[in-house]
Amino acid sequence: MREFGELLRTHRIGAGLTQQQLADFAMVSVRAIRDLECGRTRSPRAETVRLLAEGLRLDESSRADLQQAGGRAAGRTAVAPPAPAGSSGVIVGREAEAAALTALLLEGRPGVGAPAGVPQARGAGDVRDVAGVVFGAPLDVRTSGRLITVTGVGGVGKTRLALEVAGDLHFRHGWSVLWHPAQASPAVDDEQNTVLVTDQRPDPRLLEEHPRLRIVVTALAPTGLPGEHVFPLGALSDDAAVRLLLTHVHRVRPAFKPEPANQAALTGLVHELDGLPSALEFAAGWFMVYSPQHLLERLRSNPLDPTSAHLRDSLRRSLSTLDEEGRDLLVRLAEGEEAGHSGPMRDLCVRGLVRRAGPRYEVLNLVRAAVREPVAGPHLSAGVTLTWPV
């Protein structure tokens, strides 16, 4: 049998999580995770094992293996702990999105009950730039508004937003929170309101069988299920992105302070990284080596250079959800061609690969870098080609 720490590390790396991220999701201290992974702690408490399994979103088999490695009897847990609130009560820069998503779940049908100042959905095909909702599938009166898919490019924070909202529903409204893979059969209590958070395509029969159930899916693209609300999640605003970047920087350089001399570089950094939270977090680690100005120079030569392999893979998985028409349009946009409104453009926006820039659309810097790769060979001069995952 594998040691608990080794198995925990394998699951964490496989999920693409840092120790800090797993600590946030599982509500376990970073020190506890570090001690477990290095073997200083060999007999974790049953509650700690449960929290870690939920934070990693393990399926039933993997959960049982982790419990067995920890010397605990395998058991099934129906209610997962919601995410802890951020330091300001809501994750940085997502106040409007969190309020809109919470309102949709509380109401259970589209366009009703959103707080003042939060845009509401107007009908089929409506796409909003901020806290928007898209109706991409025929409505079903039995499930309408109860299935919400949060879409966006890899690293934009879909799971973190879903966790924040689940925590709010649990602590403030008394809802039960389920955190199970879609292939599992969650134990739904029909006596109370329940939200199921998943990153897999759910079984639509769950909503028919459990009238008080809501489902939040975090995905790169819509599921296409009847009655689905698609909730596109865009990048952070410049101000929010700088605040988030500084939060992560202070973990590695506690004495770092934004000053007039580095303010322009900080703004340039969040522009080059498209305001993607996971890219900002990873880039913050380079502040141990570079000044903001030097890091910005490196980013301008290759925005993907100081990011993680996990983010690069996530971006390419986002590209893999496109059909041929969408890929062709993205190629043209990446090469500087202008394009008008169309179905494929809408799909690119829903997936977070393209965003509005005034009257035009622009491809995210990181997306452009992910699809352009230098190629050199005996029959080619050094140049750029667009490649796609298979």
Side-chain angles (χ1 to χ4, degrees), residues 41 46 56 69 79 128-129 159 193 202 212 221 245 272 312 339 344 366 390:
T41 301
L56 289 164
V79 180
R128 298 300 180 103
D129 291 328
T159 299
N193 291 319
R212 300 184 69 173
L245 176 63
E272 292 296 326
R312 186 188 297 264
L366 294 173
V390 295

Side-chain angles (χ1 to χ4, degrees), residues 248-310:
H248 294 307
V249 168
H250 288 153
R251 292 176 177 170
V252 297
R253 287 185 61 186
F256 179 85
K257 294 180 180 179
E259 301 171 345
N262 60 32
Q263 191 62 50
L266 292 173
T267 302
L269 285 172
V270 301
H271 277 159
E272 292 296 326
L273 295 172
D274 300 307
L276 291 186
S278 64
L280 296 172
E281 180 177 5
F282 196 85
W286 286 99
F287 275 63
M288 292 186 293
V289 180
Y290 294 113
S291 69
Q293 294 83 351
H294 289 161
L295 182 57
L296 179 58
E297 291 178 9
R298 181 173 176 179
L299 279 173
R300 283 174 173 165
S301 64
N302 182 1
L304 278 174
D305 187 24
T307 59
S308 66
H310 174 67

Side-chain angles (χ1 to χ4, degrees), residues 18-263:
T18 64
Q19 290 181 339
Q20 181 64 56
Q21 289 172 326
L22 178 56
D24 290 341
F25 287 170
M27 294 189 292
V28 174
S29 71
V30 175
R31 180 176 179 179
I33 294 173
R34 187 181 303 119
D35 287 348
L36 286 167
E37 290 191 353
C38 73
R40 280 196 293 267
T41 301
R42 296 181 180 275
S43 299
R45 295 186 300 115
E47 178 67 5
T48 300
V49 177
R50 181 183 76 82
L51 291 171
L52 290 170
E54 296 293 355
L56 289 164
R57 294 176 289 167
L58 299 181
D59 57 28
E60 293 297 326
S61 176
S62 297
R63 182 193 301 268
D65 289 343
L66 190 68
Q67 290 171 328
Q68 186 176 7
R72 308 295 175 184
R76 186 168 179 171
T77 303
V79 180
S87 57
S88 62
V90 178
I91 48 180
V92 174
R94 295 299 191 196
E95 294 83 0
E97 291 92 334
L101 183 54
T102 300
L104 287 170
L105 289 164
L106 286 171
E107 190 59 40
R109 60 182 185 270
V112 180
V118 176
Q120 298 184 16
R122 295 179 295 184
D126 184 34
V127 179
R128 298 300 180 103
D129 291 328
V130 179
V133 178
V134 180
F135 297 87
L139 294 179
D140 185 323
V141 296
R142 295 167 297 177
T143 62
S144 177
R146 295 170 53 212
L147 169 62
I148 301 176
T149 302
V150 182
T151 62
V153 71
V156 79
K158 301 180 292 295
T159 299
R160 186 66 186 87
L161 176 66
L163 286 168
E164 181 76 26
V165 170
D168 185 61
L169 291 172
H170 178 71
F171 288 118
R172 293 182 56 196
H173 301 279
W175 284 38
S176 173
V177 178
L178 298 177
W179 187 258
H180 279 289
Q183 61 267 28
S185 297
V188 180
D189 183 355
D190 290 326
E191 298 300 317
Q192 62 177 331
N193 291 319
T194 301
V195 59
L196 168 66
V197 182
T198 180
D199 57 5
Q200 303 290 328
R201 193 175 192 270
D203 185 346
R205 293 174 298 180
L206 287 172
L207 293 174
E208 298 177 2
E209 296 169 357
H210 305 288
R212 300 184 69 173
L213 176 67
R214 311 287 192 271
I215 299 178
V216 176
V217 182
T218 58
L220 299 174
T223 67
L225 292 173
E228 177 184 34
H229 249 45
V230 181
F231 193 99
L233 187 62
L236 292 171
S237 67
D238 288 351
D239 289 344
V242 170
R243 283 190 285 128
L244 181 60
L245 176 63
L246 291 175
T247 298
H248 294 307
V249 168
H250 288 153
R251 292 176 177 170
V252 297
R253 287 185 61 186
F256 179 85
K257 294 180 180 179
E259 301 171 345
N262 60 32
Q263 191 62 50

